[in-house]
Every structure is written in structure tokens, then in C-alpha cells.
């Protein structure tokens, strides 16, 4: 009998997939003390692989590791993570700023993302994935993806989750590697959040494909105090 509430293994999902692309994990630690956010990037091209995560006062930004190799910054240089009060916005593009601007006006993440669509990188039409981790540990995830192979229209999907100890959801841009790269399908994947921040960071980084992984960000936020610890791992240290 299928258990629809089973928490999948992030280790297995990552280790068995050469190219999930960019990925967001949001959830709650197994002891219920911390909200958990993770974001990773992978790359196949020289331009995509030439990146590092750098800390910012309100989150992180991407930067070219070797500026001389930077070809087109439009889709690879952005702020993946921005804090807004006790909330944390996590995305795979400059829609981070769109969401922040809307939230600052008292509007919603959904309203913000209705003004955006997938990336203009046909034939892949890379989806825009976004997450919002709230002060109480609840969270939202969204994916904006092409409705057809021609990139003629945008399908927008939104998901909203309560905080449950040890439970997270994993949303990534691609099913796996391919040419063109197949867009993620279905709901965000229910996964187990286990261990502290260092164990969780190691679990993610060690199971991402060795050739394609670029950078990883992890943050654990104390749900009572709002204080947080974070880790940044870069292939190009």
C-alpha cells in the first residue's frame, strides 16, 4: 500500500539524479526548533559553472568566480536569498526582488509571480522556482513553467505548507539531464529533514552530482528567537 505521507530521502533523490538543476528545500528540523531553507545551483555550461555564492546583509548573491569568463550575466547573477523581517525569500532568479517588492507593499508572493514567467532560454525554458519561508515555519513554493514546447504561454503553480517537524518539500527546475532539459513536473517532493545544520549541509553537498554542482546555501532559523545559522559551500572556494 502506498504511503503518501512518507518522507523521501534527499540523499537518494540527489544521488540518483545527475542534473536536477537549481533546487529549493524548505521545511522544519526534526526537533521542531528550527525552520530550514536550502538552495543549490548546478551548471553544465562554462558560464553557469563560473559562479559562487557570497553573503549579503539580507541573504546571499551570486557572483562570477572569474569575471573574465562571464558571458551573459542576465540569468546567472542575482540574489537567490533575501530576508524580509522574519520571512525568507528563496528563488532561482531575479524574481527574488519582485517578491520582496510586492511583500513590502502588503501584497502576496502569488501576486508578484503573476507578473513573471519562465526564463527565456528556449528550448529549455528553465522554470522559475520560488519559496517563501514564514516566521512561524510555514512556507510556500511556486514554479512558473512553459505550458508548451514552444514557450508560448506560462503555467503558474503555487503550493502552501504548514510546518511539521522533520518534514520538508523539495522543488527543482529539471526532472533530470537531457537535451532539451525536461522541466520539473508534479508537486514539490516531500522529504525528510534530519540532523543539525552541518549534517544537513553535508548530506546535500555530498549527494549532488560531482561534475555539475556549483554552490549551496543552508540556513537554520530558531523559530522562537529568529536567530539563525547559515552555511555556504562553493565549488570554487
Amino acid at each position: 500500500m502506498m504511503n503518501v505521507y512518507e518522507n523521501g530521502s534527499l540523499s537518494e533523490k540527489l544521488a540518483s539524479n545527475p542534473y536536477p538543476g537549481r533546487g529549493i528545500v524548505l521545511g522544519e528540523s526534526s526537533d521542531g526548533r528550527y525552520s530550514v531553507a536550502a538552495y543549490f545551483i548546478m551548471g553544465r555550461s562554462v558560464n553557469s559553472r563560473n559562479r559562487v555564492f557570497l553573503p549579503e546583509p539580507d541573504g546571499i548573491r551570486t557572483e562570477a568566480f572569474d569575471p573574465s569568463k562571464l558571458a551573459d550575466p542576465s540569468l546567472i547573477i542575482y540574489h537567490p536569498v533575501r530576508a524580509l523581517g522574519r520571512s525568507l525569500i528563496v528563488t532561482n532568479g531575479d524574481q527574488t526582488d519582485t517578491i520582496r517588492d510586492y511583500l513590502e507593499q502588503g501584497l502576496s508572493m502569488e501576486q508578484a509571480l503573476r507578473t513573471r514567467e519562465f526564463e527565456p532560454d528556449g528550448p529549455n525554458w528553465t522554470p522559475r522556482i520560488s519559496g517563501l519561508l514564514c516566521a512561524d515555519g510555514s512556507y510556500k513554493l511556486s514554479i512558473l513553467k512553459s505550458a508548451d514546447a514552444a514557450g508560448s504561454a506560462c503555467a503558474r503553480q503555487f503550493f502552501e505548507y504548514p510546518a511539521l517537524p522533520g518534514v520538508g518539500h523539495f522543488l527543482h527546475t529539471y526532472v533530470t539531464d537531457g537535451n532539451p532539459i525536461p522541466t520539473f513536473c508534479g508537486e514539490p517532493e516531500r522529504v525528510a529533514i534530519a540532523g543539525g545544520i552541518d549534517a544537513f549541509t553535508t548530506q546535500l553537498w555530498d549527494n549532488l552530482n560531482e561534475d555539475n554542482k556549483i554552490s549551496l546555501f543552508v540556513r537554520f532559523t530558531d523559530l522562537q528567537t529568529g536567530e539563525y545559522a547559515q552555511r555556504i559551500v562553493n565549488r570554487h572556494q
Side-chain angles (χ1 to χ4, degrees):
M1 183 173 149
M2 181 180 182
N3 178 9
V4 296
Y5 300 112
E6 181 180 0
N7 296 328
S9 164
L10 266 171
S11 298
E12 292 175 6
K13 290 180 183 297
L14 294 175
S16 63
N17 190 343
Y19 203 62
R22 268 76 83 199
I24 298 171
V25 181
L26 299 180
E28 186 172 270
S29 62
S30 56
D31 59 10
R33 286 186 58 193
Y34 303 96
S35 63
V36 175
Y39 177 64
F40 66 79
I41 57 174
M42 306 178 80
R44 301 192 307 177
S45 69
V46 171
N47 200 38
S48 286
R49 291 181 174 185
N50 180 36
R51 287 186 287 176
V52 291
F53 285 170
L54 294 177
E56 286 280 300
D58 67 340
I60 60 170
R61 62 184 167 91
T62 61
E63 184 172 278
F65 174 67
D66 180 352
S68 69
K69 292 181 181 176
L70 182 61
D72 176 11
S74 62
L75 295 176
I76 68 164
I77 303 300
Y78 56 94
H79 286 77
V81 178
R82 286 196 189 274
L84 184 63
R86 291 278 295 268
S87 296
L88 196 69
I89 307 160
V90 186
T91 90
N92 71 326
D94 62 13
Q95 73 268 27
T96 311
D97 297 349
T98 308
I99 295 169
R100 179 196 58 182
D101 293 347
Y102 271 66
L103 293 177
E104 285 178 336
Q105 298 172 56
L107 302 171
S108 68
M109 175 173 121
E110 291 85 349
Q111 287 172 295
L113 291 172
R114 288 189 185 106
T115 71
R116 303 300 305 269
E117 59 179 37
F118 52 88
E119 296 181 2
D121 63 341
N124 295 320
W125 309 121
T126 297
R128 289 192 186 272
I129 56 172
S130 306
L132 178 63
L133 185 57
C134 301
D136 64 358
S138 65
Y139 50 98
K140 297 178 178 182
L141 287 164
S142 167
I143 182 167
L144 313 181
K145 57 188 182 180
S146 182
D148 61 15
S152 68
C154 182
R156 297 178 175 86
Q157 298 175 337
F158 302 98
F159 306 89
E160 194 165 352
Y161 300 100
L164 294 173
V167 178
H169 285 84
F170 175 34
L171 178 61
H172 43 103
T173 50
Y174 308 123
V175 175
T176 187
D177 207 350
N179 207 3
I181 321 174
T183 288
F184 180 90
C185 297
E187 293 183 26
E189 298 165 359
R190 185 181 173 112
V191 293
I193 307 281
I197 186 169
D198 289 316
F200 187 64
T201 302
T202 298
Q203 177 193 18
L204 291 173
W205 187 251
D206 286 358
N207 285 288
L208 285 167
N209 180 273
E210 196 66 35
D211 291 333
N212 296 322
K213 65 185 180 184
I214 307 298
S215 297
L216 168 68
F217 164 88
V218 176
R219 180 180 288 196
F220 275 47
T221 304
D222 189 302
L223 286 164
Q224 294 298 315
T225 67
E227 295 179 357
Y228 64 84
Q230 69 181 32
R231 303 287 183 266
I232 294 174
V233 186
N234 289 307
R235 176 173 173 169
H236 304 294
Q237 291 289 7

